[in-house]
Every structure is written in C-alpha cells, then in structure tokens.
Amino acid sequence: MKKKICVIGAGRWGKNHIRTLNEMGNLGGIVESNNTILAQSLEKYKGVKGYTRLEDSLEDEYDGYVIATPAETHFPIGKIILEAKKNVLIEKPIALSGEEAKKLLVLSEKNDCKLMVGHLLLFHPAIIRLKQLISSGKIGKLLYLYSTRLNFGTVRTREDVCFSFAPHDISILNYLIDELPIDIEAVGSCLLQKNIPDIVIANFTYQSKTKAHVFVSWLHPFKEQRIIAIGDKGMLCFDGSGRDNNIYYYDKIIQWNNGSPIKCDEGMSVIEYDESQPLKNELEYFIRSIDNKELRIADGKSGLEVIEILENITNKINYNMIKEV
C-alpha cells in the first residue's frame, strides 16, 4: 500500500510538493490556514483531506509530513510533528538557528522518526553527476569550487539572503567536497533593511586545502545559478539558469615549463546526465526511507551542519559591519 504524506503549506513552494506527491499517488492531506487556498487545493485534488489546523491532521494516520511554510515556522511546526512521532521532511532551512536545529535532531532520534531537510539540489541529476565526475578524477585534484545564486528575488524581512538562498549552495559544497570548512570569511551588504544583508559573499577553506566561495543576492537584475569546479586536470561548469542546463567539461590546465606557467586549452565538451525531476527524486527518497530506515542524504545532521555554517557566516558579516562603523 502506498505511503500517504500530508503537506503543510499550500503556498508558492508547497503547491509543488502537493502536485508532485499527487502525481506519485502519495498525497494524503493538506494543511493550510488560508481557507481560500485550501478550498482551491481540495477542488483540484479530489479525495485529499484538508485541514486548517495542524493538530487536526495528527488525529489521522499519515506516514509522513512535508513542511513547506515560511522559514520562521519550521522549528515550531517540526517540533509538534516529531513530538507526535511522525516522519517529516522540512523545507530548507531546517530552522533559523543551530539551537533549534539541534532540538529537532534530538527529538527525531528520541522518537525514532525520519527527519529530512529539503536540500533539493542534492537530488538534482546534474549535481549528482558533478559528484561522480569529481570523485572519478575527471578534473584531477579538486582545487576550487564556487557557487552563485543571484536573482531579483523575494526579499524577506525575517531572514537574510544567506539563510534564504545559501542553504542550497552550502549543502552542495558539503556534498561535493565531502568535508566541512575549517575556516570561513564573509562580507555582506544591507541595502534595503537594517541588519538584513541583501548580498553576501562567503569564502571557505577545507582541510584538504580546497577553496570555495558562495555569492548570493536577491538584488540582481537577472537569474544566475552556476557551479564551477576547478581541478588540476580540467574544469566543470553547471549553469542551472541557462536554457539547456548543460554540464560543460573544459579541458583547460596550466602547465609549467622552467618555472613559467603555460596555458593549455583543448576545448570544451558537453557531459550528458539523466534529466529526472529533482523534487520527485527527493520525495521518493524520503518515502523510501520511511520503510528501509536509510537516510544518508539531506538528513537532520546535514541540515544542522548547514545551519551552523550559515550562523558562522552571519557572525562574520556582523563582525565586519561593526568594524566598518
């Protein structure tokens, strides 16, 4: 019998979870406080139960929950669900502080529940292919990674651009490098609101000597989502905002001759990869984990690690701002 999942929040991103779960045959319920939005959802998805209160949904038997509500509500809602001993996938970020994330992780372990985080791009076939290429030595020793996530996006008033955009990028860096940073430097600019950075650049150093940086902004004239990997035997690029969303391999290296650097450019080629839907992949993984108790990707621990890195970035930004004043 198919697992039944209840989605909390039928807004901008929640409706994607609802649609995908319905297509998979796993949508069981919808919790939405807005009566109009709830009614529209129930009209569209026949046979699905609807609730305006989370507590009412807990009286019914669901195999798991998806939380797709504003970030500031992730902790209190997640806490209620885990205390009810229910499996849950919480959209990124898992919480707005490391303390809250730790409490959710402890609750999930105490009640033997699955706790997964919506680090969607870890289920994107292009990111998975990048991981395979780097691990196989396609570009040799990994020297440098950088990720940009720029857009004229939704400006938040309760979270900065780093907490809003960068969880994706940090989770990708942790996944591709398979290490946590040992040193972080960061700067940010508050252009629209006091103490809420709209633009952030963070630099990371790892034990393996790999370097990385993340650049995020919701004040950008166009959408740009790009990941670049630089190795000593080649380079890779995935442009998630392009028309074709290709992975490109650049056969470009620097060789040395008698102490002089020489550019070697053998051109560029396209790397093929599967074109499956990341959200469907993520939800299928969550549902499979309910039975097989296997949850290694985007689990609660990795969600906590991302939050701790975000807090580190925020602390560095605040320190630099104080110095500037």
Side-chain angles (χ1 to χ4, degrees):
M1 189 174 182
K2 284 209 168 189
K3 302 295 183 189
K4 291 299 178 183
I5 306 299
C6 183
V7 179
I8 306 171
R12 188 174 68 250
W13 188 240
K15 66 183 180 182
N16 294 325
H17 279 284
I18 290 169
R19 184 192 69 250
T20 305
L21 284 166
N22 183 68
E23 292 170 354
M24 293 165 54
N26 296 108
L27 180 64
I30 300 171
V31 180
E32 172 56 59
S33 60
N34 185 306
N35 285 301
T36 301
I37 294 176
L38 179 61
Q40 291 172 346
S41 299
L42 297 179
E43 176 65 25
K44 188 173 182 178
Y45 302 104
K46 304 294 186 182
V48 174
K49 298 192 70 172
Y51 314 85
T52 55
R53 296 176 66 252
L54 169 60
E55 289 77 10
D56 294 335
S57 75
L58 293 171
E59 295 178 4
D60 293 323
E61 290 299 321
Y62 290 107
D63 298 292
Y65 282 78
V66 170
I67 300 177
T69 55
E72 62 268 20
T73 68
H74 289 180
F75 172 70
I77 294 176
K79 183 172 180 288
I80 291 171
I81 293 173
L82 290 169
E83 286 177 338
K85 301 184 178 180
K86 303 289 185 179
N87 304 299
V88 63
L89 187 163
I90 305 178
E91 262 306 328
K92 63 83 186 169
I94 186 174
L96 290 183
S97 74
E99 182 181 358
E100 290 179 346
K102 285 177 185 176
K103 288 179 180 178
L104 293 177
L105 183 57
V106 169
L107 263 178
S108 69
E109 293 171 346
K110 175 184 175 183
N111 293 330
D112 194 25
C113 300
K114 292 295 182 303
L115 171 59
M116 185 170 163
V117 189
H119 291 154
L120 179 67
L121 293 182
L122 299 187
F123 297 90
H124 194 299
I127 302 302
I128 295 171
R129 188 73 177 113
L130 281 178
K131 173 72 170 178
Q132 294 168 345
L133 291 166
I134 292 171
S135 299
S136 70
K138 177 71 174 178
I139 59 172
K141 176 179 171 55
L142 182 62
L143 303 175
Y144 183 66
L145 273 169
Y146 81 78
S147 180
T148 57
R149 190 164 305 276
L150 315 171
N151 203 359
F152 190 58
T154 302
V155 176
R156 311 287 184 177
T157 58
R158 298 288 297 276
E159 60 183 293
D160 61 29
V161 69
C162 200
F163 268 84
S164 184
F165 280 16
H168 284 309
D169 307 278
I170 293 169
S171 66
I172 290 171
L173 293 183
N174 290 351
Y175 174 65
L176 294 180
I177 300 175
D178 200 23
E179 292 180 48
L180 298 179
I182 59 173
D183 186 57
I184 297 174
E185 298 177 351
V187 293
S189 298
C190 302
L191 305 176
L192 300 178
Q193 305 170 83
K194 186 178 180 180
N195 299 325
I196 299 182
D198 307 289
I199 299 170
V200 170
I201 299 175
N203 296 296
F204 306 90
T205 300
Y206 298 81
Q207 189 70 46
S208 60
K209 306 303 181 184
T210 302
K211 301 284 188 176
H213 90 247
V214 167
F215 176 23
V216 291
S217 171
W218 55 34
L219 274 182
H220 198 75
F222 55 85
K223 184 177 182 179
E224 179 180 325
Q225 297 174 0
R226 185 174 296 164
I227 299 169
I228 305 289
I230 308 296
D232 62 1
K233 294 182 180 179
M235 308 174 186
L236 293 165
C237 172
F238 171 61
D239 188 347
S241 54
R243 290 183 178 180
D244 50 22
N245 292 332
N246 283 337
I247 297 175
Y248 294 99
Y249 169 66
Y250 295 86
D251 192 359
K252 299 183 177 185
I253 61 173
I254 300 295
Q255 293 184 338
W256 293 84
N257 185 10
N258 296 324
S260 297
I262 300 174
K263 293 194 304 181
C264 297
D265 186 348
E266 298 297 327
M268 174 268 290
S269 58
V270 175
I271 302 288
E272 300 293 333
Y273 67 90
D274 169 45
E275 294 185 3
S276 58
Q277 298 177 22
L279 184 56
K280 183 179 180 182
N281 295 341
E282 178 185 70
L283 290 168
E284 286 179 340
Y285 185 81
F286 173 58
I287 290 169
R288 284 198 306 271
S289 77
I290 293 173
D291 272 339
N292 63 25
K293 299 188 181 301
E294 190 74 19
L295 188 57
R296 294 181 177 178
I297 303 173
D299 60 358
K301 180 174 178 291
S302 69
L304 170 60
E305 290 168 347
V306 168
I307 293 300
E308 289 178 334
I309 292 172
L310 287 170
E311 286 187 323
N312 195 323
I313 292 171
T314 299
N315 290 338
K316 294 293 173 64
I317 291 172
N318 289 339
Y319 174 72
N320 288 330
M321 285 180 175
I322 290 172
K323 285 202 303 182
E324 289 174 4
V325 173

